[in-house]
Amino acid sequence: MATCPKGFEQLLANELISLDCEQVRPLTGQVSFSGTLACAYRVCLWSRLASRITLILARVNAADANQLYEGIYALPWEEHVPTTASVAINAHGMNDELRNTQFTALRTKDAISDRMLAKKAIRLTTNPANPDLRITLRLRNTIAMVGIDLSGNPLFRRGYEMSKSARQPIAPLRPDYAAALLAQAGWFRACRHTNPTLLSVYTGAGTILAEAAAQALDRAPGLLRNSWGFEGWLGHEATTWARLQAEAKARAQKGVTGALTLIGADDRRGWESAARQTMRAAGIPYEPQLVSCAAVTEAAAQLGNSGICVCDLSFFSANELPVEARALSVARGVVAALPDTTSLSAVDSTNALDAALGIKATEHLDILLGQDKASIRSYDVTQRAQKLPLVTYGDNKQVAVLMEASSQFAARLSKMYKLRKKWAKREYISCYRIYDADLPDYAAAIDIYEGLPRHRAGVLQTPERWAVVAEYAAPKTVDPTLAHERLLDMLTLTPLICGIDPAHVYVKTRMHSKGGSQYANTEQKDNQRRHGHLIDENGLTLEVNFEDYLDTGLFLDHRDTRALLRELAKKIPEHGYFCNLFAYTGSATCYAADGGARNTTTVDMSRTYLDWAQRNMRRNGFTEDTHKFVQADVLQWIDAERHSAHRYDLIFCDPPTFSNSSRMRKRGWDVQRDHVELLISLSRMLSKTGICIFSCNLRNFKPDTEALTKFGVELEDITDKTIPEDFARNSKIHHCYIVRRAPRTKDAPRTPTTAKASHALRSSRPNPQSSGKKPYSKRSGSSPDSKRRFSH
């Protein structure tokens, strides 16, 4: 019996037939066969697809634990188990009575131990980690199949594979999966011809190249192994095994002279050295041709009449859309250049490969990559679309895309990128927006970030650049497949047009979420989060993070607002006070401190964001004890602070749009409903000449100026002055106001107490929750700039 990964059964059956096995029958996750012991040895030595080879001793009744014990005890274990050997029992499967594999293995061990004690007067020694002999039991219904594991360690452990590490950052494809991909593509047949040629696209750590070379040079995959399961078995025929090993070594020596052409292509960091190291570790005396993905189409066009092309698209996860877009783009270019006689197969984990290539797979094997579903797909390249959609960019360069309309997106993005880049250079701006749903069908916002220059080996390096593509949630009326293909095209074109490494493109997809979940997710990630990249904004060093959160840590639309805060901070008294409420990552505090504010208070509910804010302050040299960081429910903190003796000369308040977080006050928060109460409290925290900058990003926000005036609050709309040029197209990206305390007059009514004011305000406006209104508007769940507004 040969076991294998799910989906490999027919491929393994074909391989066993080629190894002269008899009565080959594919099952689920395994293939049964018969033959001599020499045949079993040959399969161990030469199979590239099997995981383990088991010599079946018997099938015993196992309706319950007693039947299992009696059936196992009846077998002549003294003829199989050496008296000095340690054993391990591997049990698989369950039935109504035997529901625990550990218990099944224990009963099997008891039966064997009792038999050995009765026949040989020795007690069985167990060693689950490194046994001399491994015994396998597979339970199905009321029958247990018992046998000796001849392979020992799994056969896909060839002896050359390397694990992912800092020195080798690419996770290798498992050898048996590489062999299955090659088998599906017909590499076995190609190796029977003169000079077989293989193009491996996204060859990664080189496993595919090593497996292909070994097969073409007639090198047995088991040659590097130094231990086998059958070596601890009494039935082992050492002479037969030595003969088969000698035969395999002779074939390997003869195969060295064989003609072979292997071409590997990739663009991931460290792939070339990893591929060469894998070939050396596998003992392959052959140097493959390694090319970049930029040159892979030229290599594809040069494949001969019997060339084979394989593509491994299993290396990225479901949330790595920029990497997926780049990989599909490369695959499209390769397919377009392949000769019609080329055999093409691919490992696909995207579910979008057929559409990307413009070909329907002729065959496919459903497999599992870890716990994720994937497939190995074969294509007839003569059936490819006569003309894939092409988009021109840069100096008349072209790239294949999924959608014809993406040419309009490319033209618009190219135009806006050139304009914004010149403007940003002129204004000394390093982070800016270049596209904001300019075309309704391509609904996303695209921001460019440029890092700080770094010195390496005494040489000033070109600053790193990143792009963040924030997708607007598509309406339910839009076909999800269509929306996904448009997004992939945007992710393909953005790095090409902007000259950014595809690995530095990040995608954020806004989904509707329940109130307060952002706070929970933030805190859960705190212990695992990575500190991000450093950028410069108006002379200040700030940290941004593209990987861990929905937002980067810096709202670019508030760039001018922060600059205004710095100018206002210059006017406050020498020992004046600044307060940053709903502070997020504290960038506004950095600006105020840079403007001269020596006493600052930064308040946020999230400890993660407060730590981030402290890092931002330290990086800019603001380390004095007079800079305070307070973790609290901001609304409750404001209620307490307004009744204290503390007064502030400058306040910045950028609250969430909506929140029903359990960590905020029980009633939740709605900026439209609750802004009057908030602004009254903020005005009471101000000194006589103090001002507050209040901002929110609710698109249809309308301040209740009548109620505010009644309670002595002046409001000045400065929104137009705070919208940066790169956000001018979206003038409702935020609203911004200056809040002051109105001067008292003799005839003015006395301001009521807070409790009375709060009661009056709440009773005069409906509660959205009690009226059936959802706690989040469409705006809060669909906009790339809505973080926010239930996150910090």
Side-chain angles (χ1 to χ4, degrees), residues 474-526:
K476 294 182 179 179
T477 54
V478 175
D479 181 0
T481 301
L482 193 64
H484 184 67
E485 291 178 356
R486 285 174 179 153
L487 177 59
L488 290 177
D489 277 357
M490 285 191 282
L491 296 174
T492 298
L493 292 165
T494 297
L496 296 175
I497 292 171
C498 300
I500 291 176
D501 184 341
H504 288 179
V505 177
Y506 299 88
V507 63
K508 311 288 184 180
T509 303
R510 306 289 160 157
M511 306 300 292
H512 293 279
S513 61
K514 296 180 180 180
S517 62
Q518 287 291 342
Y519 277 118
N521 291 342
T522 297
E523 297 304 328
Q524 289 170 359
K525 287 184 177 181
D526 187 33

Short mmCIF file of all heavy atoms in Angstrom, two decimals, residues 474-526:
data_model
loop_
_atom_site.label_atom_id
_atom_site.label_comp_id
_atom_site.label_asym_id
_atom_site.label_seq_id
_atom_site.Cartn_x
_atom_site.Cartn_y
_atom_site.Cartn_z
N ALA A 474 -17.50 47.23 -3.04
CA ALA A 474 -18.37 47.25 -4.22
C ALA A 474 -19.82 47.04 -3.80
O ALA A 474 -20.10 46.27 -2.88
CB ALA A 474 -17.95 46.18 -5.20
N PRO A 475 -20.77 47.70 -4.47
CA PRO A 475 -22.19 47.45 -4.18
C PRO A 475 -22.55 45.99 -4.46
O PRO A 475 -21.87 45.30 -5.24
CB PRO A 475 -22.91 48.39 -5.16
CG PRO A 475 -21.90 49.41 -5.55
CD PRO A 475 -20.57 48.73 -5.50
N LYS A 476 -23.60 45.51 -3.83
CA LYS A 476 -24.01 44.12 -4.00
C LYS A 476 -24.44 43.82 -5.43
O LYS A 476 -24.48 42.66 -5.84
CB LYS A 476 -25.14 43.79 -3.03
CG LYS A 476 -24.71 43.82 -1.56
CD LYS A 476 -25.85 43.44 -0.64
CE LYS A 476 -25.40 43.46 0.82
NZ LYS A 476 -26.51 43.10 1.75
N THR A 477 -24.78 44.86 -6.19
CA THR A 477 -25.22 44.66 -7.57
C THR A 477 -24.06 44.34 -8.52
O THR A 477 -24.27 43.92 -9.64
CB THR A 477 -25.95 45.91 -8.09
OG1 THR A 477 -25.09 47.06 -7.92
CG2 THR A 477 -27.24 46.13 -7.31
N VAL A 478 -22.82 44.57 -8.06
CA VAL A 478 -21.65 44.33 -8.90
C VAL A 478 -21.21 42.88 -8.75
O VAL A 478 -21.12 42.36 -7.64
CB VAL A 478 -20.50 45.28 -8.52
CG1 VAL A 478 -19.23 44.94 -9.31
CG2 VAL A 478 -20.90 46.72 -8.75
N ASP A 479 -20.96 42.22 -9.88
CA ASP A 479 -20.48 40.84 -9.88
C ASP A 479 -19.15 40.76 -9.12
O ASP A 479 -18.18 41.43 -9.49
CB ASP A 479 -20.29 40.38 -11.32
CG ASP A 479 -19.82 38.93 -11.41
OD1 ASP A 479 -19.64 38.30 -10.36
OD2 ASP A 479 -19.62 38.43 -12.54
N PRO A 480 -19.06 39.96 -8.05
CA PRO A 480 -17.83 39.89 -7.27
C PRO A 480 -16.62 39.47 -8.11
O PRO A 480 -15.51 39.95 -7.88
CB PRO A 480 -18.14 38.84 -6.19
CG PRO A 480 -19.63 38.82 -6.10
CD PRO A 480 -20.13 39.13 -7.47
N THR A 481 -16.82 38.57 -9.06
CA THR A 481 -15.71 38.14 -9.91
C THR A 481 -15.20 39.30 -10.75
O THR A 481 -13.99 39.50 -10.91
CB THR A 481 -16.15 36.98 -10.83
OG1 THR A 481 -16.61 35.89 -10.02
CG2 THR A 481 -15.00 36.52 -11.71
N LEU A 482 -16.12 40.09 -11.27
CA LEU A 482 -15.75 41.25 -12.08
C LEU A 482 -14.99 42.26 -11.23
O LEU A 482 -13.97 42.82 -11.66
CB LEU A 482 -17.02 41.90 -12.67
CG LEU A 482 -16.82 42.93 -13.77
CD1 LEU A 482 -16.21 42.31 -15.00
CD2 LEU A 482 -18.17 43.58 -14.13
N ALA A 483 -15.49 42.52 -10.03
CA ALA A 483 -14.81 43.47 -9.13
C ALA A 483 -13.42 42.98 -8.77
O ALA A 483 -12.47 43.76 -8.70
CB ALA A 483 -15.65 43.68 -7.87
N HIS A 484 -13.28 41.66 -8.54
CA HIS A 484 -11.97 41.10 -8.19
C HIS A 484 -10.99 41.24 -9.35
O HIS A 484 -9.81 41.57 -9.15
CB HIS A 484 -12.13 39.64 -7.81
CG HIS A 484 -10.87 38.97 -7.35
ND1 HIS A 484 -10.23 39.31 -6.18
CD2 HIS A 484 -10.10 38.00 -7.91
CE1 HIS A 484 -9.14 38.58 -6.03
NE2 HIS A 484 -9.04 37.78 -7.08
N GLU A 485 -11.46 41.01 -10.57
CA GLU A 485 -10.57 41.13 -11.73
C GLU A 485 -10.14 42.57 -11.95
O GLU A 485 -8.98 42.84 -12.31
CB GLU A 485 -11.28 40.58 -12.97
CG GLU A 485 -11.46 39.07 -12.94
CD GLU A 485 -12.20 38.52 -14.14
OE1 GLU A 485 -12.64 39.35 -14.98
OE2 GLU A 485 -12.34 37.30 -14.27
N ARG A 486 -11.03 43.52 -11.71
CA ARG A 486 -10.64 44.93 -11.81
C ARG A 486 -9.59 45.27 -10.77
O ARG A 486 -8.61 45.99 -11.06
CB ARG A 486 -11.87 45.83 -11.62
CG ARG A 486 -12.82 45.86 -12.82
CD ARG A 486 -14.06 46.63 -12.48
NE ARG A 486 -14.99 46.70 -13.59
CZ ARG A 486 -16.30 46.84 -13.49
NH1 ARG A 486 -16.84 46.94 -12.28
NH2 ARG A 486 -17.08 46.90 -14.55
N LEU A 487 -9.78 44.77 -9.56
CA LEU A 487 -8.81 45.04 -8.51
C LEU A 487 -7.45 44.44 -8.86
O LEU A 487 -6.41 45.08 -8.68
CB LEU A 487 -9.31 44.47 -7.18
CG LEU A 487 -8.35 44.60 -5.98
CD1 LEU A 487 -8.02 46.06 -5.71
CD2 LEU A 487 -8.94 43.95 -4.74
N LEU A 488 -7.44 43.22 -9.40
CA LEU A 488 -6.17 42.60 -9.80
C LEU A 488 -5.48 43.43 -10.88
O LEU A 488 -4.26 43.58 -10.86
CB LEU A 488 -6.42 41.17 -10.29
CG LEU A 488 -6.81 40.14 -9.22
CD1 LEU A 488 -7.08 38.79 -9.86
CD2 LEU A 488 -5.73 40.01 -8.16
N ASP A 489 -6.25 43.98 -11.80
CA ASP A 489 -5.65 44.83 -12.84
C ASP A 489 -5.06 46.10 -12.22
O ASP A 489 -3.98 46.56 -12.61
CB ASP A 489 -6.69 45.19 -13.91
CG ASP A 489 -6.85 44.09 -14.94
OD1 ASP A 489 -6.12 43.10 -14.86
OD2 ASP A 489 -7.71 44.23 -15.84
N MET A 490 -5.77 46.69 -11.26
CA MET A 490 -5.23 47.88 -10.60
C MET A 490 -3.93 47.55 -9.88
O MET A 490 -2.97 48.33 -9.92
CB MET A 490 -6.26 48.44 -9.60
CG MET A 490 -7.42 49.17 -10.25
SD MET A 490 -8.43 50.09 -9.06
CE MET A 490 -9.38 48.76 -8.33
N LEU A 491 -3.89 46.38 -9.26
CA LEU A 491 -2.69 45.98 -8.52
C LEU A 491 -1.55 45.60 -9.47
O LEU A 491 -0.38 45.68 -9.10
CB LEU A 491 -3.01 44.82 -7.60
CG LEU A 491 -4.02 45.12 -6.49
CD1 LEU A 491 -4.37 43.87 -5.72
CD2 LEU A 491 -3.48 46.19 -5.55
N THR A 492 -1.89 45.18 -10.67
CA THR A 492 -0.86 44.89 -11.68
C THR A 492 -0.28 46.17 -12.23
O THR A 492 0.95 46.30 -12.39
CB THR A 492 -1.47 44.06 -12.83
OG1 THR A 492 -1.94 42.81 -12.32
CG2 THR A 492 -0.44 43.81 -13.91
N LEU A 493 -1.13 47.15 -12.53
CA LEU A 493 -0.70 48.37 -13.22
C LEU A 493 -0.04 49.38 -12.28
O LEU A 493 0.86 50.11 -12.69
CB LEU A 493 -1.90 49.00 -13.93
CG LEU A 493 -2.45 48.19 -15.11
CD1 LEU A 493 -3.83 48.69 -15.51
CD2 LEU A 493 -1.50 48.24 -16.29
N THR A 494 -0.50 49.45 -11.04
CA THR A 494 0.01 50.48 -10.12
C THR A 494 1.53 50.42 -9.95
O THR A 494 2.21 51.44 -10.09
CB THR A 494 -0.71 50.39 -8.77
OG1 THR A 494 -2.11 50.65 -8.95
CG2 THR A 494 -0.13 51.39 -7.78
N PRO A 495 2.12 49.26 -9.63
CA PRO A 495 3.58 49.26 -9.47
C PRO A 495 4.33 49.54 -10.77
O PRO A 495 5.41 50.14 -10.75
CB PRO A 495 3.88 47.85 -8.95
CG PRO A 495 2.71 47.03 -9.36
CD PRO A 495 1.53 47.94 -9.34
N LEU A 496 3.77 49.14 -11.91
CA LEU A 496 4.44 49.38 -13.19
C LEU A 496 4.44 50.86 -13.53
O LEU A 496 5.46 51.43 -13.94
CB LEU A 496 3.74 48.58 -14.30
CG LEU A 496 3.80 47.06 -14.18
CD1 LEU A 496 2.96 46.41 -15.27
CD2 LEU A 496 5.24 46.56 -14.24
N ILE A 497 3.31 51.51 -13.35
CA ILE A 497 3.19 52.93 -13.69
C ILE A 497 3.96 53.80 -12.71
O ILE A 497 4.60 54.79 -13.09
CB ILE A 497 1.70 53.33 -13.74
CG1 ILE A 497 1.02 52.65 -14.93
CG2 ILE A 497 1.54 54.84 -13.82
CD1 ILE A 497 -0.49 52.81 -14.94
N CYS A 498 3.95 53.43 -11.43
CA CYS A 498 4.58 54.25 -10.39
C CYS A 498 6.03 53.84 -10.13
O CYS A 498 6.69 54.46 -9.28
CB CYS A 498 3.77 54.17 -9.10
SG CYS A 498 2.07 54.74 -9.27
N GLY A 499 6.52 52.81 -10.81
CA GLY A 499 7.89 52.40 -10.62
C GLY A 499 8.18 51.88 -9.23
O GLY A 499 9.20 52.20 -8.63
N ILE A 500 7.27 51.07 -8.69
CA ILE A 500 7.39 50.55 -7.32
C ILE A 500 7.50 49.03 -7.38
O ILE A 500 6.84 48.38 -8.19
CB ILE A 500 6.17 50.97 -6.48
CG1 ILE A 500 6.20 52.49 -6.25
CG2 ILE A 500 6.12 50.25 -5.15
CD1 ILE A 500 5.00 53.02 -5.51
N ASP A 501 8.34 48.49 -6.54
CA ASP A 501 8.46 47.04 -6.43
C ASP A 501 7.09 46.45 -6.10
O ASP A 501 6.44 46.89 -5.14
CB ASP A 501 9.46 46.72 -5.32
CG ASP A 501 9.74 45.22 -5.19
OD1 ASP A 501 8.95 44.41 -5.69
OD2 ASP A 501 10.77 44.87 -4.58
N PRO A 502 6.60 45.46 -6.87
CA PRO A 502 5.29 44.86 -6.57
C PRO A 502 5.17 44.36 -5.14
O PRO A 502 4.07 44.35 -4.58
CB PRO A 502 5.19 43.70 -7.58
CG PRO A 502 6.07 44.10 -8.71
CD PRO A 502 7.20 44.87 -8.09
N ALA A 503 6.30 43.97 -4.53
CA ALA A 503 6.25 43.51 -3.14
C ALA A 503 5.97 44.66 -2.18
O ALA A 503 5.66 44.43 -1.01
CB ALA A 503 7.57 42.84 -2.77
N HIS A 504 6.08 45.91 -2.66
CA HIS A 504 5.83 47.09 -1.83
C HIS A 504 4.45 47.69 -2.10
O HIS A 504 4.22 48.85 -1.76
CB HIS A 504 6.91 48.14 -2.06
CG HIS A 504 8.23 47.78 -1.47
ND1 HIS A 504 9.35 48.57 -1.58
CD2 HIS A 504 8.63 46.68 -0.76
CE1 HIS A 504 10.36 47.99 -0.98
NE2 HIS A 504 9.94 46.84 -0.46
N VAL A 505 3.57 46.92 -2.71
CA VAL A 505 2.19 47.37 -2.93
C VAL A 505 1.30 46.64 -1.93
O VAL A 505 1.35 45.41 -1.82
CB VAL A 505 1.73 47.08 -4.37
CG1 VAL A 505 0.27 47.49 -4.55
CG2 VAL A 505 2.61 47.82 -5.37
N TYR A 506 0.50 47.39 -1.21
CA TYR A 506 -0.38 46.82 -0.18
C TYR A 506 -1.82 47.17 -0.52
O TYR A 506 -2.11 48.28 -0.97
CB TYR A 506 -0.02 47.36 1.20
CG TYR A 506 1.38 47.01 1.61
CD1 TYR A 506 2.45 47.83 1.29
CD2 TYR A 506 1.65 45.84 2.31
CE1 TYR A 506 3.75 47.51 1.65
CE2 TYR A 506 2.93 45.50 2.68
CZ TYR A 506 3.99 46.34 2.34
OH TYR A 506 5.25 46.00 2.70
N VAL A 507 -2.69 46.21 -0.31
CA VAL A 507 -4.11 46.43 -0.62
C VAL A 507 -4.91 46.37 0.67
O VAL A 507 -4.68 45.53 1.54
CB VAL A 507 -4.62 45.39 -1.63
CG1 VAL A 507 -4.55 43.98 -1.09
CG2 VAL A 507 -6.04 45.72 -2.08
N LYS A 508 -5.84 47.30 0.79
CA LYS A 508 -6.76 47.34 1.93
C LYS A 508 -8.17 47.27 1.36
O LYS A 508 -8.54 48.09 0.52
CB LYS A 508 -6.60 48.63 2.73
CG LYS A 508 -5.15 48.98 3.09
CD LYS A 508 -4.60 48.06 4.15
CE LYS A 508 -3.20 48.50 4.55
NZ LYS A 508 -2.62 47.63 5.59
N THR A 509 -8.93 46.29 1.79
CA THR A 509 -10.31 46.15 1.34
C THR A 509 -11.22 46.44 2.50
O THR A 509 -11.15 45.80 3.54
CB THR A 509 -10.57 44.74 0.81
OG1 THR A 509 -9.65 44.46 -0.25
CG2 THR A 509 -11.99 44.61 0.27
N ARG A 510 -12.08 47.44 2.32
CA ARG A 510 -12.96 47.86 3.41
C ARG A 510 -14.21 47.01 3.44
O ARG A 510 -14.94 46.93 2.47
CB ARG A 510 -13.37 49.33 3.23
CG ARG A 510 -12.19 50.26 3.06
CD ARG A 510 -11.43 50.41 4.35
NE ARG A 510 -10.08 50.89 4.10
CZ ARG A 510 -9.34 51.52 4.97
NH1 ARG A 510 -9.79 51.75 6.17
NH2 ARG A 510 -8.13 51.91 4.68
N MET A 511 -14.44 46.34 4.57
CA MET A 511 -15.63 45.52 4.75
C MET A 511 -16.44 46.06 5.92
O MET A 511 -15.90 46.67 6.84
CB MET A 511 -15.24 44.07 5.03
CG MET A 511 -14.30 43.47 3.98
SD MET A 511 -15.00 43.46 2.31
CE MET A 511 -16.30 42.25 2.54
N HIS A 512 -17.76 45.82 5.88
CA HIS A 512 -18.60 46.24 7.00
C HIS A 512 -18.25 45.41 8.23
O HIS A 512 -18.06 44.21 8.15
CB HIS A 512 -20.08 46.04 6.66
CG HIS A 512 -20.55 46.95 5.57
ND1 HIS A 512 -20.92 48.25 5.79
CD2 HIS A 512 -20.68 46.74 4.24
CE1 HIS A 512 -21.28 48.81 4.63
NE2 HIS A 512 -21.14 47.91 3.68
N SER A 513 -18.12 46.06 9.37
CA SER A 513 -17.78 45.34 10.59
C SER A 513 -18.61 45.86 11.74
O SER A 513 -19.21 46.93 11.69
CB SER A 513 -16.29 45.50 10.90
OG SER A 513 -15.98 46.86 11.10
N LYS A 514 -18.67 45.08 12.81
CA LYS A 514 -19.45 45.46 13.98
C LYS A 514 -18.70 46.48 14.82
O LYS A 514 -17.51 46.52 14.87
CB LYS A 514 -19.73 44.21 14.82
CG LYS A 514 -20.59 43.19 14.09
CD LYS A 514 -20.84 41.99 14.97
CE LYS A 514 -21.70 40.96 14.23
NZ LYS A 514 -21.96 39.78 15.06
N GLY A 515 -19.48 47.29 15.51
CA GLY A 515 -18.88 48.35 16.29
C GLY A 515 -17.94 47.83 17.35
O GLY A 515 -18.22 46.85 18.01
N GLY A 516 -16.82 48.53 17.49
CA GLY A 516 -15.88 48.19 18.53
C GLY A 516 -14.88 47.11 18.17
O GLY A 516 -13.92 46.90 18.88
N SER A 517 -15.09 46.41 17.05
CA SER A 517 -14.20 45.31 16.73
C SER A 517 -12.80 45.78 16.43
O SER A 517 -11.84 45.06 16.66
CB SER A 517 -14.75 44.53 15.53
OG SER A 517 -14.81 45.37 14.38
N GLN A 518 -12.66 46.99 15.95
CA GLN A 518 -11.33 47.49 15.64
C GLN A 518 -10.47 47.61 16.89
O GLN A 518 -9.30 47.31 16.89
CB GLN A 518 -11.41 48.84 14.92
CG GLN A 518 -11.90 48.74 13.50
CD GLN A 518 -10.88 48.07 12.60
OE1 GLN A 518 -9.72 47.98 12.95
NE2 GLN A 518 -11.31 47.58 11.47
N TYR A 519 -11.08 48.05 17.97
CA TYR A 519 -10.32 48.14 19.22
C TYR A 519 -9.85 46.77 19.65
O TYR A 519 -8.71 46.58 20.00
CB TYR A 519 -11.20 48.75 20.32
CG TYR A 519 -11.24 50.24 20.28
CD1 TYR A 519 -12.43 50.93 20.06
CD2 TYR A 519 -10.07 50.98 20.46
CE1 TYR A 519 -12.46 52.31 20.04
CE2 TYR A 519 -10.11 52.36 20.43
CZ TYR A 519 -11.30 53.02 20.22
OH TYR A 519 -11.32 54.39 20.20
N ALA A 520 -10.72 45.78 19.57
CA ALA A 520 -10.34 44.43 19.99
C ALA A 520 -9.23 43.89 19.13
O ALA A 520 -8.26 43.32 19.62
CB ALA A 520 -11.57 43.51 19.92
N ASN A 521 -9.36 44.03 17.83
CA ASN A 521 -8.32 43.51 16.94
C ASN A 521 -6.99 44.19 17.18
O ASN A 521 -5.94 43.56 17.13
CB ASN A 521 -8.74 43.72 15.48
CG ASN A 521 -9.91 42.83 15.10
OD1 ASN A 521 -10.19 41.87 15.79
ND2 ASN A 521 -10.59 43.15 14.03
N THR A 522 -7.04 45.48 17.46
CA THR A 522 -5.80 46.22 17.70
C THR A 522 -5.07 45.66 18.91
O THR A 522 -3.87 45.40 18.87
CB THR A 522 -6.11 47.71 17.92
OG1 THR A 522 -6.69 48.24 16.72
CG2 THR A 522 -4.85 48.48 18.23
N GLU A 523 -5.81 45.44 19.98
CA GLU A 523 -5.16 44.98 21.19
C GLU A 523 -4.66 43.54 21.04
O GLU A 523 -3.62 43.18 21.55
CB GLU A 523 -6.14 45.07 22.37
CG GLU A 523 -6.58 46.49 22.67
CD GLU A 523 -5.41 47.42 22.94
OE1 GLU A 523 -4.39 46.98 23.47
OE2 GLU A 523 -5.52 48.61 22.60
N GLN A 524 -5.39 42.69 20.32
CA GLN A 524 -4.97 41.32 20.14
C GLN A 524 -3.69 41.25 19.32
O GLN A 524 -2.86 40.38 19.52
CB GLN A 524 -6.06 40.52 19.43
CG GLN A 524 -7.27 40.28 20.33
CD GLN A 524 -8.44 39.71 19.57
OE1 GLN A 524 -8.38 39.52 18.36
NE2 GLN A 524 -9.54 39.47 20.27
N LYS A 525 -3.52 42.17 18.39
CA LYS A 525 -2.33 42.15 17.55
C LYS A 525 -1.12 42.81 18.22
O LYS A 525 -0.02 42.74 17.71
CB LYS A 525 -2.60 42.88 16.23
CG LYS A 525 -3.49 42.10 15.27
CD LYS A 525 -3.61 42.86 13.96
CE LYS A 525 -4.42 42.08 12.95
NZ LYS A 525 -4.55 42.78 11.67
N ASP A 526 -1.34 43.45 19.34
CA ASP A 526 -0.29 44.28 19.92
C ASP A 526 0.98 43.49 20.19
O ASP A 526 2.09 43.95 19.96
CB ASP A 526 -0.80 44.92 21.21
CG ASP A 526 0.19 45.92 21.78
OD1 ASP A 526 0.88 46.57 20.99
OD2 ASP A 526 0.29 46.03 23.01
#
